[in-house]
Amino acid sequence: FEMPTSKRTKQISLTKVTKQGRKRKEAVVETILECLDNYSHVYVYSMDNMRTGIVKELRQQFAQDRFVMGKQTVMAIGVGRNPEEEPRDNLHKLSTHLTGSAGLLFSNRPQKEVTSFFKSFSEDEFATSGNLANADYVVPLGPLAFQHTMADPLRKLGMPVMLKNGTLMCEQNFQVCKKGKPLTPEQAQILKLMDVKMGTVKLDLKCVWTAGSYSLLK
């Protein structure tokens, strides 16, 4: 396999930032340029409900590959924001997909292997504020599996709790959330305390570039 030669000949200007900030930006751009020399495929992916633990797990599974994460505007400079800036033919087309939680994956694996993994990847995770509840959840009347010191924190979250003979009790059936409704910060915190995972981490491959060719992956 022969990598396409670089077409970038001029220095791309980074916006006015602090010296330290400029170094970080330049490091991301340099990483992208270095990866282009070592990997045949470049993917743009996004991750719903991104979590540090999931990212670490992915990096372990893709140990021979390279995930690049950073500010989308900086990554866009690395792949080129237009044909004049791009270091490889058609690579700038990736930049339009670098929004939200998007990142870059550089890989030499067969494309079918990568797309199959991303399509099947799904992990349960604690939901955060704003996520939609995927089920009704009720804390039943009766004793709770918490220390008595949790009484005040739970009350502050809106739960009707009381201490009875040193045992923390829920005073009534308490509906934490309703299916399909956005979770408040308090609801999300209660679900986490109850070890109820209503969030799902999913990966979405948006597009791929290889050997000068760009393709959507929808």
Side-chain angles (χ1 to χ4, degrees):
F1 176 79
E2 189 174 330
M3 296 290 180
T5 55
S6 174
K7 59 182 277 191
R8 179 172 288 175
T9 56
K10 63 179 181 178
Q11 191 73 22
I12 300 302
S13 172
L14 294 168
T15 54
K16 290 183 180 179
V17 290
T18 63
K19 194 172 182 180
Q20 191 175 8
R22 176 180 288 275
K23 281 185 178 178
R24 281 197 298 266
K25 286 187 174 186
E26 288 174 346
V28 171
V29 173
E30 286 304 314
T31 296
I32 289 171
L33 296 178
E34 181 184 318
C35 287
L36 286 170
D37 290 333
N38 296 316
Y39 297 97
S40 58
H41 290 68
V42 190
Y43 300 88
V44 176
Y45 70 91
S46 65
M47 185 187 302
D48 293 334
N49 298 317
M50 186 179 288
R51 297 290 189 278
T52 304
I54 302 293
V55 173
K56 187 177 179 181
E57 180 186 326
L58 285 172
R59 283 187 162 139
Q60 288 172 345
Q61 291 196 44
F62 282 78
Q64 304 304 313
D65 309 273
R66 185 71 182 266
F67 284 93
V68 176
M69 300 173 188
K71 284 190 175 180
Q72 281 77 19
T73 51
V74 178
M75 289 190 290
I77 293 172
V79 299
R81 295 165 292 190
N82 51 55
E84 290 70 37
E85 286 185 0
E86 63 184 12
R88 302 285 193 278
D89 288 338
N90 292 315
L91 191 65
H92 79 279
K93 293 178 180 178
L94 300 184
S95 65
T96 59
H97 300 281
L98 289 170
T99 59
S101 61
L104 295 170
L105 169 62
F106 292 83
S107 178
N108 286 324
R109 297 170 190 258
Q111 185 172 318
K112 188 175 287 186
E113 180 184 334
V114 176
T115 54
S116 176
F117 175 86
F118 271 68
K119 192 174 289 185
S120 63
F121 185 90
S122 179
E123 286 210 11
D124 292 335
E125 187 51 88
F126 293 114
T128 56
S129 174
N131 291 159
L132 298 181
N134 61 15
D136 290 351
Y137 185 75
V138 175
V139 177
L141 167 72
L144 296 167
F146 294 108
Q147 297 291 328
H148 68 276
T149 52
M150 284 297 294
D152 282 342
L154 289 173
R155 286 191 192 106
K156 286 177 181 176
L157 292 172
M159 282 188 63
V161 297
M162 63 177 288
L163 280 170
K164 188 174 182 180
N165 299 326
T167 300
L168 193 58
M169 310 281 291
C170 189
E171 298 181 72
Q172 62 190 57
N173 289 335
F174 176 68
Q175 180 149 35
V176 178
C177 59
K178 289 186 177 182
K179 184 177 179 178
K181 297 289 185 182
L183 295 172
T184 65
E186 293 79 14
Q187 290 170 327
Q189 183 61 25
I190 291 171
L191 291 173
K192 188 172 183 179
L193 289 170
M194 295 291 174
D195 199 32
V196 176
K197 295 182 176 181
M198 285 199 179
T200 305
V201 178
K202 288 190 176 180
L203 300 171
D204 178 32
L205 281 182
K206 295 177 174 291
C207 56
V208 61
W209 176 93
T210 183
S213 176
Y214 156 87
S215 304
L216 284 172
L217 294 172
K218 287 293 184 183

